[in-house]
Amino acid sequence: MLRAMLTAGAVLAALLTPATAHAEETGSDIPRLTDRNGRVLTLRGWNIEDKAHRGEDALTAVTERHLRDLRARGFDFARLLVFWDDLEPAPGRYSRAYLQKIERVLDWAGRHDVKVVIDAHQDVFGPAFGHRGIPEWATRTDGLPFTAHPDDWFAEYFEPAVQRAFTHLYEDEDLRRAQAGMWRTLAARFARHPAVLGYDLINEPMGEPKPGEDLPTAARRIEREQLTPMYDRLADAVRSADRDAWLFVEPTPVVGEGVPTGLGRVHDPRVVYAPHFYDTAMEAGADYDPGAGWIEAYERAVTAYPKRYRVPVVVGEWGPPDSSLPHMDRFYRDAMASLSRYTSGWAGYVWCYGGGYCALDGTGAFHAHKELTAEPYAEAVAGTVRSAAYDAGTGVYRLVYRAAPRGSRVTELSLPPGAWRITADGGASVVRRTAGRARVTAAPGGLVTVTVERG
């Protein structure tokens, strides 16, 4: 998560200029995510994690309730955080117990019809610096200094030891092999699990600036020269065991400030661009400023890569730490509108029961304004989407699509709790309705309009 970056704030502020593209133009030439039946997918969900426990206690904070409640609120997607330091506590020794714990969560997801992306997560590289992620045995610092920043942990990414550790991960041949081996192990274990949609190859990768580089210049070089070849290596590792899953690739977190990525083409046919969507000011506790142009700048920057390389977009993390501030109602409405223009989906941060970033409080109720993330949407469309939009003011969702000429005829809708009335024209019919779900079938090639209204 992107917290206050005081070392970079002045550089990034100059890049926050408002976008001028019309909403309907933004995502029109960005491909959509699809399932194995060729249906167009929309993912709406949340991150699920347990950063506090490790070893024998790893993932004990995640329960079936997380997946059951997620689905009951109308979400079909979870980004599951896993940690290399738990998977491979010593070189070449993979933890069967940890793999079983991951599988247990995936089984819950499958039971509640939630799609999962497995995220190889790191924060400030890993345990060598007091966090989680890359094992200590794979951490090389060349003796460079590290100072903890307990009041601003993201600032620790700019410590020389942490930056050098990333350089070694990207460039040392034995660490490259180890990282690829970690992914071969995960993919071999979970390639056939029905809940697994894909793999997020590394969370929020960072790196080491060269002397004289400002942060945006360094980020684009790291993305171009180190992250792109790393993703190619890891894609090869995954494909040795899993031919079908989507591979989610992230830029550096700097993209969250409207800085276009330097990431190059990843040579795999099933790549998803998976940036995060955090604002420095809000991460530091500020309220949303609708006039600052941050969302517009982010949207303009983040859509350049998928347009160039023709890959779908799924935002892997987003959401402020304090959603109760006066302008957060406007933030969630603006953010949801923006994300719907160009993404195939998103995962909010984070599905838990408590304070701070948690979506829910201790009673299971949404924190202020986070209920605005729960909208009707089409999880899977058997055809080509012409338009899809929800009007929060009227409570009306409308989907227009051209039904596929062959293959699956079933379009699936997800509905938040409450009474909803569903109609379909163009020769389509609502064939099944259950709590929170509906299915629509259409004749091949027909132009279909589905309308969902609060009952």
Side-chain angles (χ1 to χ4, degrees):
M1 296 158 308
L2 186 58
R3 293 186 183 270
M5 265 197 286
L6 300 180
T7 56
V11 174
L12 298 178
L15 296 166
L16 293 178
T17 55
T20 58
H22 294 296
E24 63 270 17
E25 297 172 350
T26 305
S28 59
D29 51 356
I30 296 175
R32 297 296 300 268
L33 194 68
T34 57
D35 67 9
R36 288 181 173 89
N37 297 315
R39 296 184 302 173
V40 175
L41 296 180
T42 296
L43 307 176
R44 298 280 180 91
W46 294 80
N47 285 261
I48 291 180
E49 67 177 29
D50 180 3
K51 294 183 179 181
H53 300 95
R54 55 184 308 176
E56 292 184 1
D57 294 327
L59 282 174
T60 54
V62 177
T63 68
E64 185 172 2
R65 178 191 179 191
H66 287 75
L67 284 306
R68 183 179 61 246
D69 288 358
L70 188 77
R71 180 78 256 189
R73 298 299 181 96
F75 301 105
D76 72 330
F77 176 48
R79 180 175 179 260
L80 175 64
L81 278 59
V82 303
F83 299 103
W84 184 2
D85 58 289
D86 260 328
L87 177 63
E88 192 178 2
R93 182 168 64 84
Y94 297 102
S95 170
R96 292 182 180 179
Y98 191 55
L99 289 168
Q100 290 170 351
K101 290 173 182 290
I102 296 171
E103 188 167 28
R104 180 178 62 182
V105 177
L106 294 175
D107 288 346
W108 291 332
R111 185 177 304 164
H112 297 286
D113 198 18
V114 173
K115 304 173 187 70
V116 176
V117 165
I118 296 174
D119 162 44
H121 206 83
Q122 65 79 29
D123 292 320
V124 194
F125 204 77
F129 306 108
H131 296 273
R132 303 299 312 281
I134 295 151
E136 290 193 60
W137 58 261
T139 304
R140 296 169 183 166
T141 67
D142 297 338
L144 293 176
F146 171 77
T147 300
H149 298 263
D151 295 329
D152 180 13
W153 66 264
F154 197 87
E156 294 172 4
Y157 274 113
F158 301 94
E159 288 293 315
V162 175
Q163 294 178 334
R164 183 60 53 84
F166 276 105
T167 296
H168 282 294
L169 177 69
Y170 302 145
E171 297 184 358
D172 291 7
E173 194 60 41
D174 61 331
L175 295 184
R176 290 179 176 185
R177 289 194 300 269
Q179 189 183 24
M182 178 269 294
W183 267 116
R184 277 193 297 272
T185 299
L186 284 171
R189 178 62 178 259
F190 302 120
R192 293 175 179 82
H193 198 290
V196 173
L197 176 71
Y199 310 103
D200 192 331
L201 298 177
I202 186 170
N203 177 71
E204 295 187 351
M206 293 288 276
E208 184 174 16
K210 291 182 176 180
E213 281 185 326
D214 61 33
L215 185 58
T217 301
R220 286 191 288 266
R221 176 186 54 79
I222 290 163
E223 290 160 343
R224 181 178 63 253
E225 297 179 3
Q226 295 177 315
L227 298 190
T228 303
M230 177 189 68
Y231 288 140
D232 279 332
R233 292 192 300 270
L234 298 183
D236 289 343
V238 169
R239 292 302 179 221
S240 69
D242 189 334
R243 307 302 301 177
D244 297 324
W246 288 94
L247 303 182
F248 288 59
V249 300
E250 299 187 31
T252 64
V254 178
V255 74
E257 293 296 341
V259 180
T261 183
L263 198 65
R265 181 182 299 280
V266 179
H267 296 90
D268 188 275
R270 294 177 68 80
V271 169
V272 178
Y273 185 50
H276 292 179
F277 179 35
Y278 289 119
D279 171 60
T280 298
M282 287 197 290
E283 287 294 289
D287 198 358
Y288 175 55
D289 180 357
W294 167 62
I295 288 179
E296 295 87 348
Y298 176 87
E299 185 172 322
R300 182 179 58 189
V302 84
T303 53
Y305 182 87
K307 287 180 179 180
R308 179 177 182 182
Y309 293 110
R310 303 293 299 159
V311 296
V313 183
V314 173
V315 168
E317 291 186 24
W318 72 285
D322 185 355
S323 65
S324 67
L325 297 171
H327 291 134
M328 286 299 167
D329 175 273
R330 173 72 181 274
F331 166 71
Y332 275 100
R333 294 181 189 278
D334 288 354
M336 290 290 288
S338 175
L339 291 169
S340 70
R341 284 193 285 267
Y342 65 89
T343 77
S344 285
W346 47 259
Y349 189 83
V350 56
W351 194 258
C352 55
Y353 308 86
Y357 286 96
C358 285
L360 309 168
D361 64 21
T363 71
F366 274 117
H367 278 294
H369 304 122
K370 294 191 178 185
E371 74 282 355
L372 296 172
T373 61
E375 299 177 348
Y377 63 99
E379 294 182 27
V381 177
T384 302
V385 177
R386 295 290 185 87
S387 63
Y390 177 67
D391 186 326
T394 62
V396 175
Y397 170 77
R398 186 165 285 108
L399 165 71
V400 180
Y401 70 99
R402 177 73 68 181
R406 62 186 65 85
S408 175
R409 297 175 57 201
V410 179
T411 289
E412 299 187 29
L413 306 177
S414 180
L415 310 171
W420 298 92
R421 183 172 62 256
I422 304 168
T423 57
D425 63 16
S429 59
V430 180
V431 295
R432 188 180 116 188
R433 284 195 59 179
T434 58
R437 310 291 294 280
R439 291 186 174 186
V440 176
T441 60
L447 183 63
V448 179
T449 298
V450 179
T451 303
V452 181
E453 303 173 89
R454 284 203 175 273

